[in-house]
Amino acid sequence: MNASTESVILKLGGSAITDKGANEGVVKEADLLRIAREVSGFRGKMIVVHGAGSFGHTYAKKYGLDRTFDPEGAIVTHESVKKLASRVVDALNSFGVMAIAVHPMGCTVCRNGRIESMYLDSIKLMLEKGFVPVLHGDVVMDLELGACILSGDQIVPYLAKELGITRLGLGSAEDGVLDKDGKPVPELTPANFEEFRQCIGGSGSTDVTGGMLGKVLELLELSKNSSITSHIFNAGKADNIYRFLNGESIGTRISPDKRV
Amino acid sequence: MNASTESVILKLGGSAITDKGANEGVVKEADLLRIAREVSGFRGKMIVVHGAGSFGHTYAKKYGLDRTFDPEGAIVTHESVKKLASRVVDALNSFGVMAIAVHPMGCTVCRNGRIESMYLDSIKLMLEKGFVPVLHGDVVMDLELGACILSGDQIVPYLAKELGITRLGLGSAEDGVLDKDGKPVPELTPANFEEFRQCIGGSGSTDVTGGMLGKVLELLELSKNSSITSHIFNAGKADNIYRFLNGESIGTRISPDKRV
C-alpha cells in the first residue's frame, strides 16, 4: 500500500467519538485517542469535521432547536459542542497533528438551515501552512430562522465543493451503507441508489440531523455534479481511518455514475 | 442620566480582566464578575472585545510570535486565549448578557499583521438577534507571515468602521491618557495629539501589542476619517463601564478635530 498525500476531508461521526445515547456530553475517550493516533499518520492536507454527538443533540432536543429559535438554547448548545471540539483538538495535538478548531458559529451563516456563506480564507491558509482545521456540527446564525443547527454532514460536502477536495471519508458507527442482509453495499451511485434506499435508515439514537439517509443523500447530490468520491466506513474499527487516509477504498463508496 | 441604547463596542483591556504580570493565564475573578454585572445593565446593541492579557502575551513572548512563525506556539497561544474568552463569556452569561464568543482565528486573515479580511455576516446577525458577540486578541493566519498576533486594539476600530458603530469604550487599567502630572487628558484630537505624545507610554507589563500609545494611535487614525468617538477609561474602578455604556463621557475622549 502506497502512502497517499491527496487532500482529504475526514468526518468523524458523533457516535464514533461520543456516547450518543448519553443525556449529556460524554466522550468515548479510548476511541478518540485511537482515532487521533490513526489520523496522525497522514501526511497530506486534511480537514477534520466532527459531529456533535451527545454534546449537541441532547441540548438541541431539550431546547427544540430543530423547530424554534431559542437564544438561551443556542448559547448552551454552542458552548457544549465547543467543549467537544476542544477535546478533539487536544487529542489530535497530543499526537502532533497541528489541529486548530474552527467553530462554524463564527464563520458561517445559514438560510433556512442551509449554508448561505462560510468564511474560507483562514481555512485555506491553515491548510497551506500545514495546520489541520477542525470544524464540527454547531448552532449557527440563520437569516430566516434566527439560528439553526448546522450538521457536520452538511459542512463536509460544502467544503469539498468550495475547496476542490475530491476525497471524503465519513467515519461512522456502521460498516458503511448496509444492504438488507446487514452487509455494506460496496458502491452507491445516483443510478443504483433507489435499489438500496429502503434499507437506509435514520439514526439509531437521538439525532436531529437526519442520520445515515441524510448523509447519503448529501453525498449522492454532491457526486452528481462533481468528481467527488466519498467513503462511509466504520470508525469504531481499528485502522479503518488510517486505511482510508492512506488511499484504501473501504466501506461504502459513493461516487458519480460510471460514464463508459 | 438617561439610559443610552446607542450601539457600542466595549473593549476590556487584558490588564482589566487578567493579572498581566503572571507567567500564565490568571483571571482577575472579582473584577471580571463586577464588569459582567455592569455590562448586563446595558440594553443597546453591543460588541465586546477583550485583550488576551496573561493568557496571550506570556505565550506569544515565549514562542517569539511577534517575530517569527511558530506553528506550535500559534496553537498553544490560541488555545490559551480561547480559555480566557470562555471565562469572559461565561461571566457575562451568568448575568444574562447572551454573549457568544467569536474567535478571530476562524474568521479573520491578516497581511503583515493588519486585518486583510474579517467575516462579519454572523456578527451582524448576532447583533440583530440580540446576542453580544465577544471577540478578543488572538493569533490569526497571515498571508505574509504565516500567522500573526491580532490585538483587540486593532479589532475595535476595524469593527467600528465596518459596522458603522460610532461609540467606542476602552476599559483599561488607567484613568485615561495621562498628562505629565498623571491626570487624564479630557480630550485628544489629531490637532492636540503632539502636545501630549511624549507623556503616552507603552504598556507597563509584558505586552507584544503596543500598550497605550498603540491604542491611541489606532483611535486617532480612526477619528480622522469618521465621526467615531472613543473613550479610554479605567475599567478597574467600579461603575465606570456602566457609566460609559449609559452615555457618560468619562476618562479621555478621542474624537475628530472640532470643525467650527
Side-chain angles (χ1 to χ4, degrees), chain B residues 73-181:
Chain B
I75 288 176
V76 169
T77 308
H78 173 62
E79 285 299 314
S80 175
V81 297
K82 275 171 50 170
K83 287 198 180 78
L84 176 59
S86 170
R87 299 284 291 277
V88 173
V89 162
D90 286 352
L92 291 171
N93 286 335
S94 73
F95 287 93
V97 171
M98 302 234 302
I100 297 182
V102 176
H103 309 295
M105 171 65 102
C107 65
T108 315
V109 161
C110 281
R111 182 186 297 277
N112 281 321
R114 303 294 304 177
I115 296 173
E116 174 89 0
S117 71
M118 184 184 281
Y119 182 76
L120 299 171
D121 294 9
S122 51
I123 292 174
K124 286 178 191 167
L125 260 183
M126 286 177 198
L127 289 173
E128 202 177 288
K129 299 295 176 188
F131 293 104
V132 173
V134 176
L135 292 90
H136 54 86
D138 200 355
V139 179
V140 303
M141 301 307 297
D142 186 295
L143 290 160
E144 304 293 335
L145 309 173
C148 72
I149 293 165
L150 174 62
S151 79
D153 289 333
Q154 190 187 151
I155 296 173
V156 169
Y158 182 89
L159 288 176
K161 264 192 295 196
E162 294 293 324
L163 301 177
I165 297 177
T166 56
R167 191 155 198 274
L168 317 185
L170 288 90
S172 76
E174 293 179 7
D175 288 338
V177 178
L178 306 182
D179 65 17
K180 62 183 187 330
D181 302 321

Side-chain angles (χ1 to χ4, degrees), chain B residues 26-47:
Chain B
V26 176
V27 170
K28 288 180 176 175
E29 201 66 55
D31 284 282
L32 179 57
L33 287 174
R34 174 186 54 75
I35 287 170
R37 196 183 60 243
E38 293 186 33
V39 166
S40 71
F42 182 60
R43 291 285 159 263
K45 294 187 191 308
M46 171 171 44
I47 297 175

Side-chain angles (χ1 to χ4, degrees), chain A residues 24 35 55 60 69 80 88 160 237 245 248:
Chain A
E24 54 177 5
I35 287 171
F55 285 77
F69 174 52
S80 175
V88 172
K237 291 192 175 164
L245 290 173
E248 271 191 68

